[in-house]
Amino acid sequence: MAVGEFDLIRRYFQHPLAQAGARAGVRLGNGDDCALLQPAPGQVLAVSTDMLVQGRHFFPDVAPRALGHKALAVNLSDLAAMGARPLAFTLALALPQIDEAWVQEFATGLLELADAHGCALVGGDTCAGPLNLCLTVFGELPPEQALRRSAAQPGDELYVSGHLGQARLALEALRGRWPLPAAALQRCRQRLEWPQPRVALGLALRGQAHAAIDLSDGLLADLGHVLRASGVAAQMDVPALLASAAVGPELRALALLEPALALTCLLAGGDDYELLFTAPVAARAAVERAGQEAGVALSRIGRIVAMADAGPPCRLVDAQGRPYTLPPGVELAGFDHFA
Ligand code: ADP
Ligand code: MG
């Protein structure tokens, strides 16, 4: 490596927010053998790691600034889904060669999002190898307010934030499976490449929501994780979902032309990075305030029920609670990395 590993780190990964005194809780940033973190009194660290592999999670020609953004965004999304406040992160980076213009752009996308969330880059590792990124984020939260996957209770209502399915629709369009008008493709691609983690919503839901998860694998697959962890079942009201704010303009247009593809994107899309959560009926007004505070639309799309002896944990129903039959052609397999 011509520039040298240490020059590269000094030039691009020395984060002002990690300097002593810049961010409460960061006692020491990078440059030593370890960083030193101290959560606020009474709070614990929430820790999560996500790896991004070329060809699997991003195209080789992705804009480096967008890649830097997305690498941190998907990790912050995990903190959001726990109700944690971002504190710091580390970056392990393998680069095929040192292309300074590329690294500069990547670091810009990464650190702009870090600054927006007060999340300090406090360390990492840099080496030569096929392009690969691995981030670990650290957040802080009062442990009793963590939004665990295992906390859904019968009687809870099921909510989702924002619009779903746009990232998947962008992929379908980029793969040539569905033509999209240029402006719609641009908006969907923005969702795919520049996801906005719902950190403010996660914080606002503390003490109100029971269980939460971020939507990375698709609505039904991620709901399945909550149901299994909580030992409960769910009735998802498909007509309510289709009429809700979860369906943005692009999916609404698609639903008229190609309902099966629209349902595939909404129910099994993946890469949404919205929050799916459950909350008791008594918390309805508080949940609504949380959405307003966080500036994101919330949609109520079903409810949690006791686990039945037989049948799938997630039942698709209509407004009267009768089984809802999906049109043929909907692909519901959750995105499986080993499929
Ligand atoms: P060590 O040999 O102790 O593991 P390294 O030589 O790998 O340390 O790294 C030196 C310092 O630079 C460490 O403090 C490490 O956290 C930091 N560092 C390495 N890579 C990165 C990176 N991509 N971003 C931020 N800090 C980094
Ligand atoms: Mg090292």
Side-chain angles (χ1 to χ4, degrees), residues 17-337:
L17 201 57
Q19 303 310 303
R23 168 73 169 87
V26 177
R27 298 285 292 265
L28 186 65
N30 66 353
D32 210 318
D33 298 312
C34 292
L36 300 176
L37 302 179
Q38 182 169 43
Q43 308 212 7
V44 295
L45 286 178
V47 182
S48 178
T49 296
D50 254 309
M51 184 152 69
L52 278 87
V53 176
Q54 179 175 306
R56 182 53 94 170
H57 301 100
F58 57 91
F59 298 118
D61 62 345
V62 65
R65 193 181 286 217
L67 183 61
H69 172 96
K70 186 165 178 177
L72 182 58
V74 302
N75 279 278
L76 292 178
S77 180
D78 284 315
L79 291 182
M82 208 67 181
R85 185 183 300 283
L87 171 60
F89 71 108
T90 62
L91 165 68
L93 183 63
L95 292 170
Q97 73 270 327
I98 293 187
D99 172 347
E100 278 204 71
W102 192 97
V103 174
Q104 159 103 63
E105 280 287 291
F106 171 80
T108 300
L110 181 81
L111 295 183
E112 274 179 3
L113 185 66
D115 286 336
H117 290 279
C119 194
L121 173 57
V122 296
D125 201 17
T126 307
C127 70
L131 183 58
N132 187 61
L133 308 164
C134 185
L135 279 76
T136 297
V137 282
F138 302 86
E140 50 187 347
L141 83 171
E144 67 285 355
Q145 291 190 341
L147 304 174
R148 299 185 183 204
R149 292 182 186 186
S150 57
Q153 293 172 22
D156 280 0
E157 296 179 300
L158 192 60
Y159 293 84
V160 71
S161 68
H163 299 325
L164 304 184
Q166 291 160 314
R168 171 66 175 268
L169 184 53
L171 273 182
E172 298 289 342
L174 293 171
R175 287 173 181 152
R177 283 186 57 187
W178 186 255
L180 271 184
L185 175 59
Q186 166 65 25
R187 287 194 302 270
C188 290
R189 202 170 172 167
Q190 184 80 8
R191 288 299 307 270
L192 177 67
E193 294 177 352
W194 294 83
Q196 297 299 326
R198 297 298 183 194
V199 172
L201 179 61
L203 292 173
L205 289 173
R206 279 180 182 178
Q208 302 301 338
H210 282 159
I213 190 170
D214 66 317
L215 294 178
S216 54
D217 294 340
L219 177 58
L220 288 182
D222 289 316
L223 173 59
H225 296 316
V226 170
L227 301 181
R228 252 186 309 281
S230 299
V232 295
Q235 295 185 339
M236 186 184 292
D237 183 341
V238 181
L241 170 68
L242 290 173
S244 77
V247 184
E250 301 80 19
L251 269 289
R252 200 158 291 292
L254 180 65
L256 297 173
L257 299 168
E258 194 68 32
L261 181 59
L263 281 161
T264 298
C265 292
L266 290 168
L267 297 175
D271 259 355
D272 291 310
Y273 300 106
E274 293 295 344
L275 296 187
L276 171 73
F277 60 94
T278 80
V281 178
R284 264 192 195 186
V287 166
E288 199 171 307
R289 276 196 303 279
Q292 281 159 1
E293 240 172 74
V296 58
L298 300 180
S299 303
R300 210 168 43 238
I301 59 168
R303 59 196 195 97
I304 300 295
V305 296
M307 180 81 103
D309 294 334
C314 179
R315 275 157 293 178
L316 303 182
V317 298
D318 66 13
Q320 283 74 45
R322 293 173 305 214
Y324 182 93
T325 311
L326 292 171
V330 182
E331 294 165 36
L332 281 194
F335 186 63
D336 183 341
H337 287 279

